[in-house]
Amino acid sequence: MKKSWIFSSMLALALFICLLPFQATQAANPQGVELTGSYYTGYDITGDGVNDTIQIRKDRDRYGYHTCRIIINGQEAIRLTHEYSFYDAQVKLYTLQDGTVLVYVYLQGDNGDGPSGLYVYDNGRLRELLNFQTFFKYGIHNTGKVLKVSGNRLKVNYSSMSQAFALIDMKYTYEYRNGALHPTSKYGKIKIYNNYKYSRGQKVTARKSFWLYKNAVSSRKKI
């Protein structure tokens, strides 16, 4: 009698487990995660809420790595080639509030140069949303990174060795909607690092006279 009761209880428990909704493949991405390895099965990169198979392959020649490929569920989604060679590939996933997964890729080479951008999975491919290399046209060694994600918004930082001010950082906030990243304002915050001369009391004279205003949206002249 006791054995029969135990068997009946185990059968009932097994049936109950079988009737539970299957969730083993449901993805639960952290808001931001860096993929430092070469093979993953525990993250969602396509944005459909289901874990994907992600392979990151770095091909090299005698000088170093020159090509990075990201393969999603057995299909090559992107192939990035460095003009010269890179030391490592940074791949990060950022999950927005609506479930969209943004993919950051940066192939860092000499002087920080290398493909750098944000992508989103679209019909088997990683489609480019932002290109950190080409955003700023008046400088070299252009790179970028994501600073913060909140809801469907993200704050990014562009860095450049600018022609006018040497090293500068430019911070902008974007909102993801309708398959694209839209700036929340046409104004960003700019930080200039080259203050060597100013710290020693030296003056800099502009080639042409111009007005400085109280702030970026003010019509009130200041200096």
Side-chain angles (χ1 to χ4, degrees), residues 112 117 155:
K155 181 181 291 186

Side-chain angles (χ1 to χ4, degrees), residues 105-164:
V105 184
Y106 174 34
L107 310 184
Q108 184 177 3
D110 289 339
N111 299 311
D113 289 333
S116 176
L118 276 172
Y119 302 82
V120 67
Y121 184 83
D122 186 4
N123 195 28
R125 302 288 297 174
L126 286 178
R127 175 171 55 86
E128 185 180 82
L129 296 174
L130 284 183
N131 190 325
F132 292 113
Q133 269 196 307
T134 60
F135 173 81
F136 189 66
K137 300 179 180 180
Y138 307 103
I140 58 175
H141 310 318
N142 298 331
T143 61
K145 60 184 177 181
V146 175
L147 298 176
K148 182 181 179 181
V149 175
S150 177
N152 289 333
R153 292 189 174 190
L154 66 158
K155 181 181 291 186
V156 304
N157 184 89
Y158 297 94
S159 294
S160 177
M161 187 61 70
S162 69
Q163 298 170 0

Side-chain angles (χ1 to χ4, degrees), residues 96 98 100 129 152-153 174-184:
L96 305 182
D98 65 359
T100 300
L129 296 174
N152 289 333
R153 292 189 174 190
Y174 291 87
E175 182 176 14
Y176 183 83
R177 64 177 187 274
N178 301 323
L181 286 172
H182 302 272
T184 59

Side-chain angles (χ1 to χ4, degrees), residues 6-214:
I6 294 175
F7 176 77
S8 299
S9 299
M10 293 178 64
L11 183 62
L13 180 61
L15 180 62
F16 174 75
I17 293 175
C18 290
L19 292 176
L20 287 175
F22 183 68
Q23 295 182 342
T25 61
Q26 293 298 306
N29 283 1
Q31 191 178 67
V33 60
E34 183 172 4
L35 306 184
T36 57
S38 59
Y39 186 83
Y40 296 88
T41 58
Y43 296 113
D44 171 26
I45 194 173
T46 61
D48 61 359
V50 179
N51 287 338
D52 299 299
T53 299
I54 307 169
Q55 295 172 274
I56 302 171
R57 295 182 179 176
K58 295 175 288 186
D59 304 318
R60 65 181 306 159
D61 56 19
R62 59 177 178 169
Y63 302 107
Y65 298 114
H66 61 93
T67 300
C68 177
R69 296 181 291 149
I70 300 179
I71 301 168
I72 302 174
N73 299 326
Q75 180 179 351
E76 184 176 282
I78 193 170
R79 178 192 294 258
L80 292 173
T81 301
H82 199 287
E83 185 177 359
Y84 300 104
S85 62
F86 62 94
Y87 310 118
D88 197 13
Q90 294 183 27
V91 180
K92 300 179 182 180
L93 307 182
Y94 295 97
T95 303
L96 305 182
Q97 189 176 49
D98 65 359
T100 300
V101 181
L102 304 184
V103 184
Y104 170 84
V105 184
Y106 174 34
L107 310 184
Q108 184 177 3
D110 289 339
N111 299 311
D113 289 333
S116 176
L118 276 172
Y119 302 82
V120 67
Y121 184 83
D122 186 4
N123 195 28
R125 302 288 297 174
L126 286 178
R127 175 171 55 86
E128 185 180 82
L129 296 174
L130 284 183
N131 190 325
F132 292 113
Q133 269 196 307
T134 60
F135 173 81
F136 189 66
K137 300 179 180 180
Y138 307 103
I140 58 175
H141 310 318
N142 298 331
T143 61
K145 60 184 177 181
V146 175
L147 298 176
K148 182 181 179 181
V149 175
S150 177
N152 289 333
R153 292 189 174 190
L154 66 158
K155 181 181 291 186
V156 304
N157 184 89
Y158 297 94
S159 294
S160 177
M161 187 61 70
S162 69
Q163 298 170 0
F165 302 107
L167 181 61
I168 62 172
D169 277 348
M170 298 162 282
K171 295 180 175 65
Y172 290 88
T173 300
Y174 291 87
E175 182 176 14
Y176 183 83
R177 64 177 187 274
N178 301 323
L181 286 172
H182 302 272
T184 59
S185 171
K186 63 181 179 179
Y187 301 106
K189 293 183 178 180
I190 298 178
K191 183 176 181 180
I192 301 174
Y193 290 92
N194 184 20
N195 59 358
Y196 176 83
K197 293 181 178 180
Y198 301 100
S199 64
R200 285 157 177 76
Q202 298 184 20
K203 295 182 178 180
V204 174
T205 303
R207 293 179 180 176
K208 296 182 179 180
S209 297
F210 59 91
W211 281 103
L212 296 180
Y213 292 81
K214 187 176 181 180

